[in-house]
Structure formats: C-alpha cells, structure tokens
Amino acid sequence: MSVVARRSIDEPGLADEFLRLVGEGDEYGAVEMVGELLDGGVAPQRILIDLIASTQARVGELWAANEWSVAREHAATAISERAVAAVAARTNVRPTRGRVTIACVDGEWHALPTRLLAEMLRLDGWRVDFLGANVPGPHLITHLHQTGPDVVALSCMIATRLPRAHAAITACKAAGVPVIAGGRGFGPGGRYAQHLGADAWAAGAEEAVQRLARNWPPYSPDPQLSAFLGDEEYTYVVRNRGELIGAAMRRLTESYPAMREYNQRQLDSTAEDMAHIVDFLAAALYVSETPIFTDFVEWTNGVLQARGVPAVALRVGLDSVRSQLRDYPRATAILDAGAARI
C-alpha cells in the first residue's frame, strides 16, 4: 500500500505553486492545497499567514510591476478569499474571549487583510463580527449599539481614507468602544493611528492577535492628539477637488501634446492619477505629514514607469496642481517635496 506524503508549509516550491494556482484562477487547486496542508497537521494560522497572506503580497507586487493586469490581480484575490474560507470551514473554535467587530473604513475596499484578521482572531477564541469592506461610519456605530463588542478592529490600507478613519475612530470612542487600528494607511509603525485617537495599532494579523490577548483595553490616548486635524488649506483642497483635477488635466493636455492622441481609457486613467495627487495631498494636509504624499509620489512614479509612462507626465501634473495653490504655503511645500522624489 502506497503512503501519500503529507504536505508541509515549508515544502520547497509550495509558495510558487500556490501563486501559480491563484494566478491561473484555479480555485479547485488552491482549496485542495489548503485541505492537504490541514490534513498534514499544519496549523491553520500558518496557512493563513505564511501561505495566503504572503502570496497576496506577491500578487500586489506583480500588479505594481505591470506583470499582472488588474483583472488578474482581482481574480487571484478572489481565489485567496476562497482559500481563507476553506480554512474557516475546516476549523471550529468555541469563543472563550470577548467580542470583536472588524471593518474597513468607509471607502476602503481592500477586505482580504481584514478577513485574514477575522479568522486569526476566531482561531484565538474571539467572537467575531466581520463587516467587510467599505463600512459607512453611521452603519458601523449602529452595529456597535446593537451588539456591544469589546473592541473594534479598523482597517485603512490607503492614506486618503485617513479623514474617514478619524471620524470612525472618534465615533467608536464616543460609543465607549476602544479601537485597534491596522493597515498601511496608518503610516510606518502606525504613526498616524494614535494621532487619530486609536487606542492601539498592529502591523498585521499576528500582532493584532497578540495585542488583544493581553492588557486590553489599553490606556486611552490623549484626546487632544486628535482634537485639531484639518485646517483651512485642507478644507480648500477638498472643497475644490474637482476644479483642481480639471485644471490639471487641461494643463497636461497643453504641456504634453501626446495626450491629444490618448483614447478615452487613457484619459480616464490620467484623470484618476490627478485625482490621487489631490487626494493624497489632502490626506497629508489633514494629519500634517508630508511623507504621506512623498511616499505616494515615489510609488506612483515606479508604477507609471513600469507601464511606459514618462516621468514628465507626473511632474507636469504636480506642477499644474501647485500652480493653483500658490497662496497655500503648506500645500505647495508638500507638492515641492513630492516633485523632488521624481
């Protein structure tokens, strides 16, 4: 009788095989691999973090390098979500801790990291209410009043959502529920999380599990940290967002004649890039953190170059926005710092 070898999370080539499966849209193969690992005695936490989460990071890198299309990236993410569901279907842990609500802030659509967190906390004995992506603040607060959780885990992956994250954190605290924040949008080391009033921050699902397992709730931050966010420059940029984007597009067309040959899809993509410039500028103004904008410019420049878009297009875009904000010294200083990264 032949013996089938048990699969291990440390098996050479396993990660590449799983990446191939999600990249080819092979849902059956991906779920089958998860089942084989569980049958082999691999802890579900290791499958979630060392296989699924790490593979998803590679998927994002392949998209940024223009090696995968956005459609392929979305399809791969859907397969990863099915793999997470397969882990959940094979594990059943009775709650022994408190109740946690997990949600993405309003406008945040990257739900897979929060789904991974939900399963990790469930495996650690928490009763989990997973609300998913793009949760409007009023709906979140209604849920808190209905369920009375011990903590809210709030995800923000993109810094442009920080003003909404601040509103959600403030509302949760007003409802008497402490908040642990997570996601790249809160900056390196979560430096913006405390500034926005969060009680704690975690770099990833494993750290969040450890943080919530001890000394929770923590000492609340000084409310003065989040009392004065957003000034007249931030308000001006937000209120005039459409005008700033439109003027930038007109100047780009005038300064970069090749744009006149763009098809509608290319024009829409360029307008989206200009919108990102304005939105990241607003976020940087909101929390008075220039790196929010300069990091965005540096990342965007790399993404555009991978797609054959010359750096001059981004530089002209920044200059066109700057020309409309001459009377706003903080905004122009941030734009100048971004231009220096190109």
Side-chain angles (χ1 to χ4, degrees), residues 33-315:
M33 178 184 287
V34 166
E36 291 172 348
L37 289 168
L38 289 169
D39 290 340
V42 177
Q45 292 91 337
R46 299 274 56 80
I47 298 173
L48 292 170
I49 301 301
D50 296 342
L51 183 64
I52 300 174
S54 62
T55 296
Q56 193 62 26
R58 294 176 66 188
V59 168
E61 292 167 358
L62 288 167
W63 171 83
N66 202 32
E67 296 182 36
W68 282 19
S69 69
V70 67
R72 190 177 185 187
E73 183 267 334
H74 285 177
T77 300
I79 301 300
S80 292
E81 290 173 344
R82 284 288 295 116
V84 174
V87 174
R90 290 281 300 273
T91 55
N92 187 24
V93 178
R94 184 175 295 276
T96 56
R97 299 187 186 275
R99 187 170 187 169
V100 56
T101 294
I102 302 176
C104 297
V105 299
D106 191 1
E108 176 58 71
W109 291 95
H110 295 84
L112 183 56
T114 52
R115 178 65 192 280
L116 286 162
L117 173 61
E119 294 309 320
M120 289 288 287
L121 286 173
R122 188 178 60 81
L123 289 167
D124 198 49
W126 286 85
R127 179 178 176 181
V128 176
D129 296 324
F130 174 62
L131 306 189
N134 187 37
V135 181
H139 295 191
L140 172 62
I141 301 308
T142 297
H143 178 82
L144 300 188
H145 286 302
Q146 291 173 341
T147 60
D150 299 284
V151 56
V152 171
L154 199 63
S155 176
C156 177
M157 298 297 290
I158 302 177
T160 55
R161 309 305 181 204
L162 285 176
R164 296 182 184 183
H166 181 211
I169 291 170
T170 302
C172 290
K173 300 293 290 295
V177 185
V179 177
I180 182 170
R184 292 190 303 271
F186 287 107
R191 61 183 296 170
Y192 315 137
Q194 184 182 20
H195 193 51
L196 297 178
D199 296 277
W201 179 82
E206 287 183 295
E207 184 177 327
V209 170
Q210 295 169 5
R211 185 70 183 84
L212 291 175
R214 64 179 191 274
N215 300 326
W216 188 267
Y219 178 76
S220 295
D222 184 349
Q224 294 302 316
L225 285 172
S226 59
F228 303 102
L229 291 171
D231 60 7
E232 68 278 2
E233 293 201 26
Y234 164 77
T235 302
Y236 180 85
V237 169
V238 171
R239 287 180 177 174
N240 294 277
R241 179 180 184 272
E243 183 178 341
L244 289 169
I245 295 169
M249 288 294 292
R250 289 191 294 272
R251 180 160 181 178
L252 267 174
T253 304
E254 296 168 357
S255 304
Y256 190 46
M259 277 193 64
R260 297 169 189 166
E261 306 299 324
Y262 279 11
N263 57 37
Q264 189 58 49
R265 181 184 174 204
Q266 290 172 309
L267 289 171
D268 290 343
S269 179
T270 304
E272 186 177 351
D273 291 336
M274 293 303 102
H276 288 325
I277 288 174
V278 175
D279 291 342
F280 273 90
L281 172 61
L285 288 167
Y286 189 79
V287 293
S288 299
E289 289 282 356
T290 299
I292 288 178
F293 190 75
T294 54
D295 290 348
F296 153 75
V297 170
E298 191 169 356
W299 178 84
T300 299
N301 189 42
V303 169
L304 293 178
Q305 287 191 19
R307 287 154 175 76
V309 179
V312 64
L314 180 57
R315 191 173 293 109

